[in-house]
Amino acid sequence: MRQGKQGEILLVSSGDLRLSANQNCWPAQIEMEEQLTTAIENLGWKVERAHAYHSDKKHGFIDSQRMGMDIFRNIDPNQPLIVAESVWQYSHHVLAGLTTHKGPILTVANWSGQWPGLVGMLNLNGCLTKAQIPYSTLWSENFTDQFFIDGLQEWLSTGKVSYDQSHVKSFALNKIPLRDDKTGRTFARALKERKVIMGVFDEGCMGMYNAIIPDELLHKTGFFKERLSQSALYAAMLDVTQEEAESVLQWLLNKGMTFNWGTHEATELTRNQTLEQCKMYIAALRIADDFSCDTIGIQYQQGLKDLTVASDLVEGLLNNEDRPPVFSKSGKELYAKKALPHFNEVDECAGLDGLLTYLLWKELGMTGENTLHDIRWGEHYQDGNINGFIWLFLISGAAPPAHFINGYAGASSDRQPAMYFRLGGGTLKGISKPGFIVWSRVYVMDGKLQCDLGVGEVVALPVEETDRRWNETTPEWPIMHALLKGVNRDQMMARHKANHIQVVYAKHETGAHEACRIKAAALDELGIKVHFCGDVDLIGKRNSI
Ligand SMILES: C[C@H](O)[C@@H](O)[C@@H](O)C(=O)CO
C-alpha cells in the first residue's frame, strides 16, 4: 500500500466496460481532469492520479471491478479521494474499493452534455447512498465558478459539502387533503393485496447497484420479482416468424413513424435490424404473458448486446397503450389495448414506480404512459415565453410515442451509436410534448425504500434550440425539455439519488399537483418513505383531475 502524503488528494476515474466508449470519450476526461486539478492546486493541494493511462487500451479509466479493487488495495484508505467523471461509467468498478475507503470521498462531474458524465456520477451517488457509504458531490462547467470553488474549499477543509435542501418536504410531516390521501391509500391497499409481478430479464445492468431492490424490501410493497433470462428471450425471438415481424413493422409505418434506414450494418440502421427488434417485441410480450408479469425490464447491455440488436424500440412500444397488437401462439391478443410498463436497464426502482404510476393514473381516469429518462444535462433558457432552468432529459433509446409531439408521426428510429451498440438496432425517438408532469424517483437509502417526487412542466423550445441541445448530447435519443417547479439545478443535483428520473403527464397543472399528492399517499401506503420536492401544492383544488 502506498502511504498517503499530507496535502494530497487522490483521483480515480471509472469508465465503461466497452473499449470503444472508453477510447472515444477519453479526451473529454483529460480536459476535465486538467481543469479540476488546476482548481484543487489553486487551493493549495496536490492531486495524485491513483491509476495510470494504459497505452495498450488507449484510455485511463478503471474498466473492471477487479481493476478497481486492485487500485484501492494500493492506496492509503485514509486519504481524501475524488471520483472524477465525464463519461458514462459502471459504478461497480469503484464501489468495492469505496466500501472500505475511510477518508473523505467526493464525486465530481463536468457540467457537460457531450457524454453522460453527469449521468454516470448520479448513478454512482445512488449506489453510494444505497451502500451507506458517506460521500459528497460537486459539478461544474469549467471548475472556476463560485458554487464549485466554495464547495471544494469546504470539502478540503471539513471533508464534507453542505447543500441547500430547503426544497424537500417530508410527506409524513405534511398534511394533504383527506380525500387525496384516501384515494391513494385505497388504490395502494388493493395493489398490495392482489400482489404484482415484475419480470426481470437478467438482474443488474452496467454496474447499477442502486437499481436493484433487495427482495426483502420489495416484498413489503406487494411487488415480487420473476427472474427471467435474456437467453430465453433470444430463444423466443427465434420462434417468431418473419410475417409476424413484418406485420408489427407495417403497423408502425401505417402510423407514420419514420425509420432512418441505410444499408451499412456497422454504422447504419437497416430494415433487417428493425425486423429483429419487432421479433424481440413479440417475444417479450409472449414471455411476459407466460409468467403473468405486470411489468418487465430487459437489461440488454450485457449478454443480449452480443447476440442481437438493441431493445429500445421494443421498450418504447411496450410503454405505449396504442401499440402493434401481438398474439400468443394460440391466437389470444396479449395485453390488449394496454401498455406493458417496461423498466429500461432493469432499473427495478423505476419498475416499481412505472407500474404503480401506470395503474394509478388509469384509476384516476388519465393515461399513465410513463418512462424513465437520464438526467443528462441542462441549461438556463430564456425567450419571450420561457425563463428558467430547462433540464435535458434524454434516455438511451426509447420513450413512449404518447409522450411525443405528434405521437408516432413525430417519432423516428435512428441507429443506436456504434460505440455503445455494436449490433445496432433503432431508437424510438421524439420530442416530448409540452404539458405538466409528475416526476419521481424511488431509491434505497438508510436500508429503506424512499421516493422523491414533484411537479414539472415540459416546454416546447424552438427547433434550433432543440437541435442545439440534441447536437450537444446524443441526437439519436428521445428528448424532454423539463422545468422542475421550485427546484433549482444545484438542489436537484445534490439531492437526486439516481441517474434516472420517472416522468408521467397529467392533463393540466392543477391535475398534476393533485395526482402528485395522491401518488405520494399511495407510495406511503406501500411503506415507502416519501418526500415532496419543490413546489407541490399540498392543499390544492379538489377533483381537478
Ligand atoms: C448507452 C449508455 O451506456 C447508456 O446506457 C447510459 O448513458 C444510460 O442511459 C445510463 O442510464
Side-chain angles (χ1 to χ4, degrees):
M1 189 195 77
R2 182 182 170 280
Q3 195 61 43
K5 294 194 197 112
Q6 195 67 25
E8 184 185 82
I9 308 291
L10 289 174
L11 185 148
V12 296
S13 72
S14 172
D16 211 295
L17 177 79
R18 295 161 285 202
L19 183 65
S20 48
N22 282 335
Q23 289 177 340
N24 231 350
C25 303
W26 177 241
Q29 181 71 21
I30 299 179
E31 195 186 324
M32 179 253 190
E33 287 187 19
E34 278 170 7
Q35 291 177 335
L36 176 60
T37 302
T38 305
I40 297 169
E41 287 177 352
N42 285 345
L43 294 176
W45 291 68
K46 284 249 155 317
V47 179
E48 174 72 22
R49 209 169 193 275
H51 51 104
Y53 172 82
H54 319 251
S55 44
D56 48 343
K57 293 183 187 168
K58 299 196 172 54
H59 69 79
F61 292 112
I62 301 175
D63 61 0
S64 75
Q65 177 163 230
R66 184 69 255 170
M67 181 183 172
M69 287 172 171
D70 291 341
I71 288 165
F72 275 86
R73 277 173 67 213
N74 284 314
I75 62 175
D76 181 343
N78 297 308
Q79 265 191 279
L81 180 135
I82 293 183
V83 187
E85 290 307 330
S86 56
V87 303
W88 169 245
Q89 61 81 38
Y90 290 18
S91 292
H92 76 305
H93 293 170
V94 287
L95 193 62
L98 292 170
T99 58
T100 47
H101 195 77
K102 297 189 184 69
I105 296 168
L106 180 70
T107 64
V108 179
N110 56 341
W111 196 264
S112 157
Q114 185 193 12
W115 307 122
L118 290 161
V119 183
M121 181 185 78
L122 285 169
N123 181 261
L124 182 58
N125 292 352
C127 293
L128 292 168
T129 301
K130 181 184 170 197
Q132 307 198 33
I133 302 168
Y135 69 96
S136 296
T137 185
L138 284 173
W139 45 92
S140 178
E141 202 169 322
N142 47 27
F143 301 92
T144 54
D145 61 282
Q146 212 49 51
F147 173 82
F148 174 75
I149 298 296
D150 288 350
L152 183 64
Q153 176 79 277
E154 187 184 349
W155 183 74
L156 291 168
S157 46
T158 67
K160 276 194 185 126
V161 182
S162 42
Y163 310 96
D164 165 15
Q165 294 287 275
S166 56
H167 67 295
V168 185
K169 287 186 206 82
S170 149
F171 174 83
L173 301 177
N174 283 278
K175 270 202 167 21
I176 61 166
L178 204 59
R179 177 200 163 103
D180 295 342
D181 199 64
K182 207 170 149 211
T183 308
R185 290 188 190 284
T186 308
F187 161 83
R189 270 199 291 274
L191 182 141
K192 205 162 149 177
E193 188 273 321
R194 184 177 84 81
K195 299 186 174 70
V196 289
I197 299 177
M198 190 184 249
V200 180
F201 282 93
D202 290 350
E203 190 158 71
C205 179
M206 300 189 290
M208 296 186 210
Y209 165 76
N210 70 318
I212 300 169
I213 303 183
D215 290 53
E216 301 70 41
L217 294 186
L218 187 67
H219 293 173
K220 292 185 192 140
T221 66
F223 281 66
F224 291 78
K225 296 180 203 176
E226 184 73 53
R227 289 188 165 82
L228 301 168
S229 164
Q230 295 191 112
S231 323
L233 181 62
Y234 185 66
M237 284 168 68
L238 301 179
D239 251 10
V240 177
T241 65
Q242 201 64 15
E243 297 70 55
E244 287 171 322
E246 286 282 359
S247 77
V248 168
L249 176 55
Q250 198 50 53
W251 190 98
L252 296 171
L253 290 169
N254 291 346
K255 285 276 178 183
M257 185 171 161
T258 304
F259 289 86
N260 292 315
W261 286 319
T263 50
H264 187 54
E265 297 281 352
T267 53
E268 292 176 333
L269 179 65
T270 64
R271 194 170 186 280
N272 275 341
Q273 289 174 15
T274 306
L275 282 172
E276 189 90 353
Q277 292 184 297
C278 294
K279 289 187 179 175
M280 195 192 290
Y281 167 67
I282 296 169
L285 278 154
R286 286 185 178 158
I287 294 186
D289 176 62
D290 286 346
F291 290 90
S292 303
C293 294
D294 297 282
T295 172
I296 60 166
I298 303 170
Q299 200 246 93
Y300 185 73
Q301 297 283 6
Q302 276 126 12
L304 209 54
K305 80 157 190 337
D306 302 318
L307 275 177
T308 187
V309 290
S311 53
D312 303 282
L313 177 64
V314 179
E315 301 178 11
L317 295 179
L318 292 174
N319 273 326
N320 216 53
E321 284 194 344
D322 184 23
R323 53 177 182 76
V326 169
F327 301 88
S328 67
K329 292 259 177 73
S330 61
K332 176 184 77 160
E333 187 175 348
L334 305 177
Y335 299 85
K337 317 260 170 312
K338 282 192 208 143
L340 172 61
H342 179 277
F343 41 107
N344 174 267
E345 295 168 344
V346 284
D347 181 344
E348 294 166 359
C349 297
L352 190 166
D353 193 347
L355 178 62
L356 175 133
T357 304
Y358 180 63
L359 299 175
L360 177 59
W361 257 233
K362 257 183 164 344
E363 178 108 349
L364 299 175
M366 301 186 286
T367 50
E369 282 130 326
N370 66 87
T371 184
L372 59 76
H373 276 280
D374 277 345
I375 299 184
R376 177 65 178 264
W377 185 51
E379 271 187 349
H380 190 93
Y381 178 81
Q382 185 169 5
D383 65 14
N385 306 313
I386 304 167
N387 182 9
F389 188 84
I390 310 298
W391 288 94
L392 195 144
F393 293 164
L394 196 81
I395 190 55
S396 49
H403 280 199
F404 300 155
I405 296 171
N406 293 331
Y408 280 104
S412 68
S413 190
D414 291 6
R415 194 196 191 282
Q416 279 286 21
M419 75 159 169
Y420 293 130
F421 298 84
R422 188 175 61 85
L423 297 178
T427 58
L428 183 33
K429 163 189 165 175
I431 304 167
S432 290
K433 63 191 178 190
F436 287 89
I437 52 167
V438 175
W439 65 267
S440 52
R441 176 65 197 178
V442 169
Y443 54 96
V444 179
M445 183 163 80
D446 302 330
K448 292 190 188 77
L449 273 170
Q450 315 222 12
C451 182
D452 285 359
L453 80 173
V455 170
E457 184 177 0
V458 180
V459 295
L461 296 181
V463 183
E464 312 77 61
E465 177 63 9
T466 298
D467 285 344
R468 186 186 73 83
R469 285 172 175 243
W470 250 332
N471 290 330
E472 296 272 330
T473 54
T474 310
E476 296 86 356
W477 293 351
I479 197 168
M480 176 179 266
H481 305 302
L483 199 151
L484 304 184
K485 303 283 181 182
V487 190
N488 68 34
R489 181 193 83 162
D490 298 332
Q491 288 174 323
M492 184 70 185
M493 287 299 296
R495 170 77 189 175
H496 205 75
K497 305 285 183 262
N499 44 327
H500 291 150
I501 186 163
Q502 203 74 18
V503 286
V504 62
Y505 282 86
K507 286 183 194 151
H508 42 70
E509 187 167 11
T510 45
H513 286 275
E514 186 176 350
C516 182
R517 297 190 297 268
I518 294 173
K519 179 168 166 173
L523 289 159
D524 185 74
E525 184 64 29
L526 293 186
I528 297 172
K529 199 168 169 189
V530 180
H531 315 267
F532 288 118
C533 292
D535 298 339
V536 182
D537 178 357
L538 296 185
I539 302 160
K541 286 200 196 104
R542 289 161 172 212
N543 220 1
S544 62
I545 290 171

